[in-house]
Amino acid sequence: MIGFYILIGVISLVSWLISNTLKKKFDKYSKVSLRNGMSGAEIAEKMLADHGIFDVKVISTPGRLTDHYNPVDKTVNLSEAVYNQRNAAAAAVAAHEVGHAVQHAQAYEWLTMRSKLVPIVSVSSQFSQWLVIGGLILGAGAGQTGFGFTIAVIGLIFMALATAFSFITLPVEYDASNRALAWLQNKNMVSQQELEGSTDALKWAARTYLVAAIGSLAMLLYWALQVLGNRD
């Protein structure tokens, strides 16, 4: 038990450090102006056009680091700063989100798998832990094989789906970054200094997903031990 709490504490600390570093990196590379003078929105639109994608809209969305691609309505949503600014950080984020649009257009298998899990995980993740705890209270922790144990196992299955979703997200995010950086370099959209900044920014962004996946797995293993480890 103590070891688990230490592990969760370490994961939480690492997550905070990476998140804090990510913000600092984006602040740093937001000061590296693009030599081509293009805004994040213009970068996104050009990358879409270069890949022959003309049914995806680039729009501005409120907030900071709220950038995302929505496959349902086919929109590349860029935070206000990324949409309007003309720097290495904005170029990296804009190209990364278009990378997801390219994945969608090319039916990238990991993105397809992830998209299928979204509606399931969005519901199951809200109840998984409560189902496990409820099952334990009803007697699963004491080795029962009745109703309480069944409820707890259902909770574990929901939790496992969320964990699988976290790990499936990793290749999706890394691939989108690779597509973005390859396009920025091959099309000479950025200088070497700008490319290095974009690469570093996306590297730290990817690490947030990695830590989240590890944290999800740790929680799954802990609750699995609580439910299954105490059976007779």
Side-chain angles (χ1 to χ4, degrees):
M1 180 69 75
I2 296 178
F4 170 77
Y5 288 126
I6 292 175
L7 176 61
I8 292 300
V10 170
I11 291 175
S12 298
L13 177 60
V14 172
S15 179
W16 178 82
L17 289 173
I18 289 178
S19 179
N20 192 50
T21 301
L22 175 61
K23 291 177 181 178
K24 290 181 179 179
K25 292 288 184 180
F26 273 93
D27 287 340
K28 175 182 178 180
Y29 298 123
S30 291
K31 297 179 175 65
V32 180
S33 300
L34 290 182
R35 63 177 181 179
N36 60 25
M38 297 176 69
S39 66
E42 292 168 339
I43 289 284
E45 289 168 352
K46 178 166 175 51
M47 184 172 172
L48 286 169
D50 285 352
H51 285 85
I53 301 174
F54 301 101
D55 60 345
V56 173
K57 293 183 179 180
V58 179
I59 62 177
S60 177
T61 187
R64 186 186 186 195
L65 298 179
T66 52
D67 313 86
H68 65 281
Y69 170 67
N70 188 334
V72 177
D73 59 9
K74 290 189 174 184
T75 56
V76 171
N77 299 263
L78 302 179
S79 58
E80 294 170 343
V82 171
Y83 188 92
N84 295 303
Q85 291 183 6
R86 307 167 189 274
N87 53 57
V93 174
H96 172 87
E97 298 307 332
V98 174
H100 288 308
V102 176
Q103 290 174 336
H104 189 198
Q106 297 179 357
Y108 179 59
E109 58 183 1
W110 287 102
L111 179 65
T112 300
M113 191 183 308
R114 182 180 184 276
S115 297
K116 289 179 179 178
L117 283 175
V118 168
I120 300 174
V121 172
S122 62
V123 175
S124 64
S125 61
Q126 300 178 37
F127 304 105
S128 60
Q129 191 166 334
W130 292 110
L131 287 172
V132 172
I133 294 174
L136 289 172
I137 292 174
L138 290 173
Q144 303 286 337
T145 58
F147 181 70
F149 178 76
T150 300
I151 292 297
V153 169
I154 292 174
L156 284 179
I157 293 173
F158 285 171
M159 201 174 289
L161 287 173
T163 300
F165 182 83
S166 296
F167 278 93
I168 290 172
T169 294
L170 295 179
V172 173
E173 294 300 326
Y174 278 99
D175 180 77
S177 291
N178 290 337
R179 291 172 188 265
L181 294 171
W183 178 80
L184 288 171
Q185 184 175 30
N186 294 337
K187 294 294 182 177
N188 294 315
M189 297 300 297
V190 292
S191 66
Q192 186 59 39
Q193 179 189 11
E194 294 161 2
L195 179 64
E196 290 174 358
S198 297
T199 301
D200 195 31
L202 291 181
K203 176 182 67 178
W204 282 97
R207 286 173 178 172
T208 63
Y209 292 98
L210 178 59
V211 172
I214 294 173
S216 180
L217 179 60
M219 289 296 294
L220 174 63
L221 292 176
Y222 169 75
W223 288 113
L225 286 173
Q226 296 303 304
V227 174
L228 305 175
N230 294 319
R231 294 186 66 194
D232 292 335

